[in-house]
């Protein structure tokens, strides 16, 4: 609670204390007071029932005990049941701030109070002029019970709201961890897969074709530098750092970056044909998802089918962005390389990215050979 809210709460409790102190003196519920009763005692009981309410937020239970005792004393000397309203004001704070659940639920208390009120009404208790002491005591208990039930309901609602907020926060943390894991996986596996392929080529031809080995090492160097740059860009975004001095770091990839991505795959021995048709420009989040899907699909082609041919079709039309990546499968002959093993997390990541935008993804072998990945992502401009 902020300083302003705390000050307003104290002012409210002070005003309530003054009102409940004066209420027994002017209440219509108070019957004629016995003339032998000292007026000083009546005011003392009224003060005892009202003034402690100013600190009810600091000591809820002690304040309620003091106010309830004063209310019972006021009832005994003829001030009527009005002081029980002050006790109800005190018990409301106890009900909303207690740490342990009571043995009787708020619903049971409310039902009992309703039953007592019905019995009191049917028995003609409302016809009393101020009511007998027993009727006034029942009225006081009825007010306390109803207030306790209302305070318990408020407390349960607060607890439910707090649990919902905590659950939403935990779910947001989980989703953020998954997003980070996907981004790191996409950057690392794509680069490391290409490095593994080119390193295998360099190791195989270093003795017989040193120029080809040198070319493979140059690709490894270029891919490594790009991977480090992408990792730095990703970490910059995750840390929330200022990117004004980050140079050409571009963590938010998009459709304009696809040609450079295809160039990296071609350096690993994959002949890539790119076809794009955009009737609408998709949002940045959808474009990033498409970039990552194409990146992971090409990584799988490099690891499992290179050298081979591959086609990438990207179409954005009528609020739907469709990505289709197909390859011809591993080619025969001595140029075929051993597939690089993978964990299968790439397809999982693609499905998660697609599902995050309400889309669908299908992946599997083609009837004529090769592999096909198709993703459909709806979007709104």
């Amino acid at each position: 609670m902020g300083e302003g809210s705390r000050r307003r709460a104290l002012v409210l409790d002070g005003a309530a204390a003054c009102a409940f102190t004066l209420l027994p003196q002017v209440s219509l519920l108070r019957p004629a007071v016995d003339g032998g009763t000292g007026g000083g005692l009546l005011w003392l009981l009224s003060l005892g029932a009202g003034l402690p309410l100013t600190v009810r937020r600091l000591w809820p239970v002690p304040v309620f005990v003091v106010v309830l005792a004063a209310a019972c004393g006021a009832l005994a000397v003829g001030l009527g049941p009005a002081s029980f309203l002050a006790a109800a004001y005190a018990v409301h704070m106890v009900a909303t701030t207690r740490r342990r659940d009571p043995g009787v639920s708020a619903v049971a208390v409310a039902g009992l109070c309703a039953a007592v009120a019905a019995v009191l009404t049917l028995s003609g208790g409302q016809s009393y002029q101020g009511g007998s002491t027993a009727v006034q005591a029942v009225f006081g208990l009825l007010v306390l019970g109803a207030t306790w039930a209302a305070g318990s309901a408020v407390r349960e609602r607060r607890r439910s709201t707090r649990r919902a907020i905590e659950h939403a926060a935990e779910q947001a943390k989980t989703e953020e961890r998954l997003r980070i894991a996907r981004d790191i996986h996409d950057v690392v596996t794509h680069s490391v897969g290409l490095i593994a392929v080119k390193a295998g080529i360099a190791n195989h031809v270093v003795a017989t074709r040193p120029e080809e080995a040198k070319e493979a090492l140059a690709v490894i160097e270029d891919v490594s530098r790009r991977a480090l740059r992408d990792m730095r860009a990703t970490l910059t975004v995750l840390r929330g750092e200022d990117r004004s001095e980050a140079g050409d770091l571009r963590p938010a990839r998009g459709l304009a970056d696809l040609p450079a991505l295809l160039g990296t795959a071609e350096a690993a021995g994959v002949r890539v044909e790119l076809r794009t048709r955009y009737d609408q420009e998709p949002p940045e989040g959808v474009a990033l998802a498409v970039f990552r899907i194409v990146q992971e699909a090409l990584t799988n082609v490099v690891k499992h089918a290179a050298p081979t041919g591959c086609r990438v079709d990207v179409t954005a039309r009528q609020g739907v962005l469709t990505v289709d990546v197909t390859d011809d499968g591993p080619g025969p002959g001595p140029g075929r390389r051993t597939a690089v093993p993978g964990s299968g997390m790439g397809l999982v990541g693609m499905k998660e990215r697609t599902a995050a935008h309400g889309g669908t993804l299908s992946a599997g072998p083609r009837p004529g050979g090769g592999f096909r990945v198709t993703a459909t992502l709806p979007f709104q401009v």
Side-chain angles (χ1 to χ4, degrees), residues 248-327:
D248 61 346
L249 299 183
R250 296 185 58 208
R253 302 288 183 174
L255 301 180
D257 299 297
L258 289 179
L261 182 64
L262 304 185
T264 305
E266 289 176 346
V270 179
R271 303 179 305 277
V272 185
E273 178 185 354
L274 173 64
R275 290 182 292 184
T276 58
R277 295 181 296 276
Y278 306 144
D279 293 344
Q280 295 172 300
E281 189 69 23
E284 182 177 320
V286 176
L288 173 60
V290 170
F291 176 87
R292 294 303 187 189
I293 291 172
V294 174
Q295 182 184 51
E296 184 58 41
L298 290 179
T299 300
N300 290 337
V301 174
V302 170
K303 291 196 297 185
H304 301 294
T308 187
C310 180
R311 289 162 300 282
V312 178
D313 292 325
V314 182
T315 304
R317 181 180 301 169
Q318 296 180 352
V320 177
L321 198 153
T322 305
V323 183
D324 189 77
V325 182
T326 59
D327 67 79

Side-chain angles (χ1 to χ4, degrees), residues 109-148:
V109 172
L112 179 61
C113 293
V116 172
V119 171
L120 183 61
T121 301
L122 294 176
S123 64
Q126 74 279 6
S127 63
Y128 287 96
Q129 181 62 35
S132 65
T133 301
V135 173
Q136 294 176 24
V138 170
F139 171 79
L141 293 177
L142 178 64
V143 171
L144 290 177
T147 306
W148 177 266

Side-chain angles (χ1 to χ4, degrees), residues 36-58:
T37 303
L41 177 60
L42 299 181
W43 274 105
L44 181 63
L45 291 174
S46 297
L47 291 173
L51 290 185
L53 297 176
T54 57
V55 292
R56 70 175 188 132
R57 298 178 189 274
L58 299 178

Side-chain angles (χ1 to χ4, degrees), residues 188-271:
V188 172
T189 56
H190 176 72
S191 303
V192 173
L194 294 178
I195 291 173
V197 170
K198 300 305 288 187
I201 294 176
N203 184 58
H204 183 70
V205 303
V206 65
T208 57
R209 297 192 295 274
E211 290 298 325
E212 186 174 346
K214 184 178 180 180
E215 179 184 350
L217 292 176
V219 172
I220 291 175
E221 179 183 8
D222 179 65
V223 171
S224 301
R225 293 183 184 277
R226 291 185 183 182
L228 290 175
R229 187 165 58 248
D230 286 345
M231 288 291 291
R232 285 176 53 201
T234 302
L235 293 177
T236 298
V237 174
L238 295 179
R239 292 171 179 169
E241 297 176 354
D242 185 10
R243 301 196 300 270
S244 59
E245 300 179 359
D248 61 346
L249 299 183
R250 296 185 58 208
R253 302 288 183 174
L255 301 180
D257 299 297
L258 289 179
L261 182 64
L262 304 185
T264 305
E266 289 176 346
V270 179
R271 303 179 305 277

